[in-house]
Structure formats: C-alpha cells, structure tokens
Amino acid sequence: MFRNDYDTDVTTFSPAGRIHQVEYAINAVKHGSACVALKSQDYAVLACVMRKESESELGSYQEKLFRIDDHMGIGISGLIADGRVLCKYLRTECLNHKFVFESPHQVGRLVKELSDKSQVFTQTSEKRPYGVGLLIIGYDTTGAHVFETIPSGNYYEYIAQAIGHRSQSARTYLEKNYKEFKSMALGNLIEHALKSLKGASEKKLTKHNVAIAYVGKDKEFTVLAGEKLAPYMGLVEDVEMKDASEEKKS
C-alpha cells in the first residue's frame, strides 16, 4: 500500500485512518519561517522572521504580518497565498460586523468562524485544506488575546506560542519566561518576542528581516518594521554582547 493511493483528495482515509492531505497542509506550516505571539493583561505582541525569495539586493522580504481591524491582526506561517485569502475573509467579517452592530468583532468569536471555514475545506473533495497557520492577536472587552489556528480546523488560545520552521527553540524560550508576561509593559513584551526569535532564525536578526506588531489597551494594531524597529533591535544586540562577555569571563 502506497501513500500516493490515498492522498488525492481530503475525503479518502488511508488504512491507518489518516487523511494525508490535511497532514501535508500542517507540514506546510512547519516549513514556513517562524512567527511568535505573546500577551500580557493589556497588550499582545506578534513577531516574525521574514524570508527573501532571492538573495539579490533587488529582492524584497515577504510580508507576514497583516492588519485585520484596529483591534486585531495576524501573523502567518506556511503558504502566503492561502494566508492572504484568509486575511481577506477576516477583514470582510470584521467590516460586516461593524456595519451591522456598530462595534468591533469579538476576537474569540471571529477565530471560531475562521476555524469552521478551515474545517469545511478538510471534508469536501473538490477543495483542499489551507496550507497556512495563523497566530491571531487582538484586544477586546475581555482583554488581550493570542490564538493559533491550524489547517485541520482546530484553534487554541495561548499566553505565548510560536509556529513555523525551528519554532521549538522559540517555544522553549517562551515556556521559561511566560510567567513574567502577565503584568509586563509593552516594550518588555517586544523585547522578549525578539529574544525568542533568535534561536528560530537561520540568519542574524536585523531590522530588515524582522517585523513586530502589537495591539492593546488604548493602542490600535500597529506594525513596526525597518527603522521603527531599530531601537528594539539595539536592546537585543546589547543583551547578546553582555552574554558573550560573560561567557568569555567564565
């Protein structure tokens, strides 16, 4: 029995009870560049490593952080095209909700609607699962939120989470420090997000290949990239130099 006999569509189960198309979509998320999210009581932060399709100086880095509404945004890992489709869906839902109810969409409710949409694509033969994982941050009347959605249609809420290639290194860092996040200021959260990305990146982090986004109490969703990110990158570089000097002394 060969895998190829059972992976032509999402309605065919293998003899082991597996749906290979869904597994392929989940693996696509693992091959995307790393993305991390963490939150405190009042703020939520996204950080991602951006890849360059070409090493040429003329090439640009791929955008991975997207604004959904003033109170919500996403970071994606996996197939960027699929991520843009889901981004458009989320923006449309937020716009419709604001038009009908004159209030922002609840973050958790919108994540559930998105996961329902993703799940439909795992049980219809003429469709395929979305090959993208999302980290969704938002702030509403119930506080700051970090959600993860995966191609199978499952979703989870976290204090901190990382997805993508080499994300285990970032998760290990977050697991060691997450207890401190609850009462942290925004600047400290951003610093921790950048530190967690260090081990998940194959190249040195710079203001060009990293992007940060945040949202929170009295703060709309904002993306920091390029020169806006320089002060925070300086903090991380200072810590790296301090750690290196301590290692030499020991």
Side-chain angles (χ1 to χ4, degrees):
M1 295 182 184
F2 297 97
R3 176 185 288 253
N4 291 345
D5 294 335
Y6 304 100
D7 67 355
T8 54
D9 60 64
V10 296
T11 59
T12 302
F13 285 82
S14 73
R18 297 161 63 183
I19 302 178
H20 293 300
Q21 282 277 332
V22 175
E23 293 181 6
Y24 295 160
I26 292 173
N27 284 331
V29 178
K30 296 177 181 177
H31 286 93
S33 57
C35 186
V36 303
L38 56 156
K39 69 169 185 174
S40 65
Q41 283 182 327
D42 298 324
Y43 303 103
V45 172
L46 268 174
C48 72
V49 179
M50 298 185 293
R51 284 177 178 164
K52 210 174 184 179
E53 292 299 319
S54 169
E55 293 301 323
S56 168
E57 293 180 0
L58 299 176
S60 62
Y61 289 93
Q62 215 162 32
E63 187 179 359
K64 286 171 61 72
L65 303 183
F66 299 92
R67 175 187 173 276
I68 301 301
D69 203 349
D70 291 339
H71 69 298
M72 189 188 317
I74 63 171
I76 63 179
S77 183
L79 301 180
I80 303 295
D82 286 2
R84 289 182 178 277
V85 170
L86 295 180
C87 177
K88 182 178 179 181
Y89 168 77
L90 291 172
R91 286 172 175 170
T92 302
E93 290 300 305
C94 280
L95 193 63
N96 289 341
H97 189 279
K98 191 174 288 186
F99 179 77
V100 174
F101 300 104
E102 298 183 355
S103 65
H105 206 309
Q106 287 281 344
V107 181
R109 193 177 303 153
L110 183 57
V111 171
K112 182 180 182 300
E113 292 173 7
L114 174 65
S115 296
D116 288 342
K117 177 181 175 67
S118 296
Q119 197 278 328
V120 169
F121 279 61
T122 68
Q123 64 179 33
T124 310
S125 60
E126 67 268 14
K127 301 181 185 297
R128 65 165 178 82
Y130 290 112
V132 65
L134 271 60
L135 286 179
I136 302 170
I137 63 169
Y139 186 87
D140 55 28
T141 54
T142 60
H145 299 279
V146 169
F147 286 95
E148 178 195 6
T149 68
I150 60 177
S152 64
N154 291 329
Y155 67 96
Y156 310 93
E157 185 169 11
Y158 291 94
I159 296 172
Q161 173 64 334
I163 60 174
H165 184 54
R166 300 178 67 174
S167 59
Q168 183 56 52
S169 174
R171 278 196 296 273
T172 300
Y173 177 89
L174 295 171
E175 286 169 4
K176 290 179 179 177
N177 296 278
Y178 78 93
K179 292 181 181 178
E180 304 172 12
F181 296 162
K182 187 173 182 180
S183 57
M184 249 183 205
L186 177 59
N188 293 332
L189 279 177
I190 292 175
E191 188 177 340
H192 276 290
L194 289 171
K195 287 179 181 177
S196 69
L197 276 181
K198 281 196 302 180
S201 175
E202 297 173 342
K203 298 181 179 179
K204 183 179 179 181
L205 299 183
T206 69
K207 62 185 178 182
H208 302 295
N209 65 1
V210 174
I212 293 279
Y214 64 83
V215 68
K217 189 176 182 180
D218 302 324
K219 289 188 181 294
E220 294 183 355
F221 184 82
T222 305
V223 177
L224 301 176
E227 293 301 326
K228 293 180 181 178
L229 200 55
Y232 297 103
M233 297 305 298
L235 288 174
V236 176
E237 289 171 3
D238 291 342
V239 171
E240 287 178 346
M241 291 175 64
K242 184 179 177 181
D243 291 342
S245 62
E246 288 178 354
E247 286 180 6
K248 288 181 181 179
K249 289 179 182 178
S250 60

